[in-house]
Amino acid sequence: MDDLLITGGAGFIGSHVVRKFIKSGKYNIINLDKLTYAGNLENLRDVENESYYTFVKGDICDIDFLQNLFSAHDFKGVIHLAAESHVDRSITNPMEFIQTNVVGTVNLLNAAKKSWEGKSDRRFYHVSTDEVYGSLGEKGFFLETTPYDPKSPYSASKASSDHFVRAYGNTYGLPYVISNCSNNYGPNHFPEKLIPLMIHNIRNKKPLPVYGKGENIRDWLYVEDHARAIELIFEKGKNKETYNIGGFNEWKNIDLVELLCDIMDEKLGNNQGTSRELITFVKDRAGHDMRYAIDATKIKKELGWEPSLQFKEGLQKTVDWYFDNEEWLNDVTSGDYLKYYDENYKNRQ
Ligand code: NAD
Ligand code: TYD
């Protein structure tokens, strides 16, 4: 059985990708993760004892560690998700994003390049974001051909790592594929991102901080649909191609928060409208991108992928998951989280 390296597998999307590949039964999965505040082995508790699965704690910024790992395994492929992923944190601490997202990715590329010398049946898959394309006006969609125009330190770091992946393909012939996906939501989402934060705060009757006027638009995709797209692209995508992944599911932040309030009121047995009273408009994010929207025609046409869940169904499933997994929530919201959240909220008053 071939060895497959998945980085960032203890994070939100990575945990769904690891689970999907374990279930396929085709590879011996090595999950490499540093376990930052965003990584949590609880996300994989149900599969941790499966055969052909190993967790390795490590940092993609550690070159010696990577060299040892690539000497110990002849990886058939790398699916690279490890990253710093929160835009707000990138605004307060951009250096960490440059280290992990740019330097860490180039370290991995170097390790793969060295290990794969003379072998063409390999694949380096970089999991990236639609935020590299910048911000849209009222009309139009991001296509695979849209020029890069990143506007936050996070998106600049992801754009940079995408460029390095393509440069290694072009210069050294490294086989690669890239996908750029819209905003994900679903189980295991760390509760500093919009949807899980709102669920957490509604439940605890805390203010719901909506940045600016709440008019910014995001295109939401259920995380398991993303994981399914990643498996498909890894197995069937064309070498050196890029695939955009998205749900054709645009929501203004304020409309989304109101919908969540209504779903939660029903779940909690509140009178409708109760949770909406918690909505608090706060200082906007610096350089806040106005609108993201993916045109996912290419992946549909070439690989037959489509999102499977309607948004309301996906949100309901997500809310149910957070209610059923209180222990997970208590675990990840201890430690650094509360301090970060309180400071972020205070700075926005
Ligand atoms: P996440 O923050 O939940 O998880 C990131 C994981 O990477 C964590 O487990 C963390 O411990 C690990 N990690 C961080 N630094 C590391 C390092 N130096 N070495 C090893 N591991 C490290 O992120 P996510 O939301 O699951 O995103 C995963 C990937 O998908 C990222 O590359 C992100 O840019 C991309 N992406 C995310 C979204 C989204 O909506 N969340 C959308 C499109 C693309
Ligand atoms: P986020 O989940 O951080 O994802 P991204 O910035 O990568 O799109 O934020 C989604 C949207 O929600 C974004 O427009 C910022 C906004 N937002 C709020 O209004 N309040 C919040 O507390 C957070 C975390 C985000």
Side-chain angles (χ1 to χ4, degrees), residues 151-264:
K151 292 180 185 302
S152 74
Y154 164 67
S155 55
S157 70
K158 292 297 289 188
S160 174
S161 48
D162 282 358
H163 286 322
F164 271 105
V165 174
R166 291 194 182 99
Y168 271 59
N170 182 60
T171 309
Y172 309 112
L174 191 90
Y176 75 85
V177 69
I178 295 175
S179 59
N180 298 86
C181 187
S182 64
N183 286 62
N184 286 214
Y185 71 100
N188 301 349
H189 207 182
F190 194 79
E192 64 182 5
K193 305 277 175 75
L194 181 72
I195 290 180
L197 175 73
M198 294 298 162
I199 295 174
H200 184 56
N201 284 12
I202 292 169
R203 203 159 176 202
N204 292 290
K205 300 192 173 54
K206 287 175 81 166
L208 310 179
V210 174
Y211 297 171
K213 293 181 179 155
E215 282 173 354
N216 304 66
I217 292 173
R218 298 292 181 264
D219 173 2
W220 294 95
L221 180 70
Y222 194 67
V223 63
E224 286 177 6
D225 278 332
H226 188 193
R228 188 166 47 82
I230 289 174
E231 187 185 33
L232 199 59
I233 291 168
F234 182 74
E235 298 292 0
K236 304 247 165 70
K238 279 197 215 126
N239 191 30
K240 295 191 177 178
E241 288 286 323
T242 297
Y243 297 88
N244 279 356
I245 310 170
F248 285 111
N249 179 41
E250 293 180 51
W251 282 80
K252 251 187 207 171
N253 290 339
I254 185 65
D255 295 341
L256 165 49
V257 172
E258 286 182 353
L259 173 62
L260 254 183
C261 286
D262 297 348
I263 291 176
M264 292 285 288

Side-chain angles (χ1 to χ4, degrees), residues 255-281:
D255 295 341
L256 165 49
V257 172
E258 286 182 353
L259 173 62
L260 254 183
C261 286
D262 297 348
I263 291 176
M264 292 285 288
D265 278 342
E266 196 164 324
K267 181 98 186 161
L268 293 162
N270 292 339
N271 291 329
Q272 279 295 326
T274 307
S275 299
R276 286 188 185 210
E277 284 170 21
L278 297 169
I279 292 172
T280 311
F281 292 96

